[in-house]
Amino acid sequence: MSYTGPPLDPFDPFGAPQPRRSPLRRGLTVALAVLVPGALVGWLAYATFGPDGEGDGSGSAGAATGTASAPRWPNVGNGKSGLAAPSGSTDAAPSDSASSGAGSSGEGSLAGKVVVIDPGHNPTNVEHTAEINRTVDIGTHSKECDTTGTSTNSGYSEARFTLDVAHRLRTLLQQQGATVKLTQDADRPYGPCVDERARIGNAAHADAVVSIHADGSGAGNRGFHVILPGSVRAGAADTRAIVGPSKDLGKLIAADFAAATGTSPSNYIGGGTGLVTREDLGGLNLSTVPKVFIECGNMRDSKDAALLTSGAWRQKAAQGISEGIVSFLRG
């Protein structure tokens, strides 16, 4: 910024002599010349970078006009999130504190809504095979408590993938004002079992539950699909009340997931619709609230695996799922 006060030289630019000032007055003038620009520079720096010293690129424009600057979104893949990148992954998930949601355009729009995110499997299931192999009642029949899940050929596990996407999704939904709960956060030795996963969503009176997975099909099988609950009434299972709303939720997630990630619906299941109905999943059979599963891609296909192991792509996946949930909850 240029200084616009009176000339500090005793002569003007054209050489015309100016009246001499007293030494005291000259001293005050010089002091002001130094202090005023310094103060302005300091104020502009504060307006640009804020008290935390991290500029978001919007800077002085917002400060000068009195308008709010653009919201700060999580820094994906820059190593500054505070979380270590999982093995086989190109980027780490943002921490919840990395993006508090302050100033986001949808802040508060889901206030009062409860979303349960169900990250499939558990990173330490492999250490508890006896526990996860025991069977539980899912209404239609008995099924294993849980499984270890699949992995890419390079060893990046489905359990680590689902937890990473769950963290990203939680942050996005919290920015919208929703209350978000996870069925597990690598905070237990194994599981929970599929029947308990359903009970967690039911007990929370969730407005929507999404179980996150990645498939382990053959090479060449690509794309995502969303699994919807079929109409089941057997034993402890009765899905009749949730079939309709779950289908609505699944359709919205499928459409927004495709748009956000640029990926196509599965080429090996669902007939190109990206939607599959099943009656053999305990997490769906025992749910009393709207719930779907999403298989985000096939970990055993090299092209899909390249996406699933990318932090930038996982952020897009979380964004797509989030947008589908938000659309569903807004009605």
Side-chain angles (χ1 to χ4, degrees):
M1 181 179 290
S2 60
Y3 179 68
T4 57
L8 301 180
D9 195 285
F11 294 91
D12 68 14
F14 301 99
Q18 300 292 318
R20 287 191 174 272
R21 301 181 178 93
S22 68
L24 176 60
R25 186 174 179 182
R26 284 200 303 271
L28 289 173
T29 302
V30 172
L32 287 172
V34 172
L35 291 174
V36 171
L40 289 173
V41 170
W43 180 85
L44 287 172
Y46 181 89
T48 302
F49 297 104
D52 58 2
E54 295 182 359
D56 61 5
S58 59
S60 59
T65 61
T67 59
S69 60
R72 295 177 183 172
W73 293 88
N75 294 319
V76 179
N78 63 2
K80 297 179 181 179
S81 66
L83 295 179
S87 175
S89 165
T90 56
D91 294 297
S95 63
D96 289 342
S97 61
S99 187
S100 65
S104 63
S105 59
E107 184 178 7
S109 64
L110 297 185
K113 299 294 185 180
V114 178
V115 179
V116 170
I117 304 171
D118 180 27
H121 314 289
N122 185 313
T124 55
N125 272 0
V126 294
E127 301 170 9
H128 298 273
T129 54
E131 291 90 343
I132 66 172
N133 283 335
R134 68 181 178 87
T135 59
V136 297
D137 181 13
I138 66 167
T140 55
H141 60 285
S142 294
K143 198 167 187 177
E144 294 85 356
C145 159
D146 202 2
T147 67
T148 59
T150 187
S151 67
T152 66
N153 293 332
S154 64
Y156 180 46
S157 72
E158 179 186 1
R160 299 183 76 175
F161 167 82
T162 64
L163 201 56
D164 180 274
V165 174
H167 289 163
R168 297 171 187 270
L169 178 57
R170 176 174 60 187
T171 297
L172 293 170
L173 291 171
Q174 287 176 336
Q175 288 174 345
Q176 298 285 340
T179 297
V180 183
K181 300 181 179 181
L182 270 60
T183 58
Q184 61 91 11
D185 198 2
D187 53 355
R188 52 192 299 162
Y190 65 90
C193 296
V194 294
D195 58 336
E196 185 183 352
R197 290 175 187 265
R199 288 196 298 270
I200 291 171
N202 298 344
H205 302 288
D207 296 285
V209 183
V210 177
S211 189
I212 302 171
H213 290 264
D215 211 355
S217 186
N221 292 339
R222 297 197 61 193
F224 71 90
H225 62 277
V226 177
I227 303 174
L228 313 174
S231 183
V232 172
R233 187 184 183 188
D238 188 352
T239 62
R240 291 174 297 174
I242 68 164
V243 167
S246 296
K247 187 175 183 179
D248 293 339
L249 173 63
K251 284 182 175 180
L252 290 168
I253 289 177
D256 287 329
F257 188 88
T261 63
T263 54
S264 300
S266 170
N267 64 6
Y268 61 96
I269 189 171
T273 65
L275 300 173
V276 178
T277 299
R278 291 178 60 173
E279 300 175 359
D280 64 326
L281 298 175
L284 295 180
N285 286 2
L286 300 175
S287 182
T288 59
V289 294
K291 182 175 182 177
V292 299
F293 280 47
I294 181 167
E295 299 278 1
C296 297
N298 177 20
M299 295 196 118
R300 291 297 184 176
D301 177 80
S302 60
K303 293 181 179 178
D304 269 12
L307 300 176
L308 297 166
T309 55
S310 163
W313 188 88
R314 291 195 300 273
Q315 185 68 19
K316 294 177 182 179
Q319 185 69 47
I321 298 170
S322 172
E323 289 173 359
I325 294 172
V326 170
S327 296
F328 173 74
L329 295 181
R330 287 178 176 170

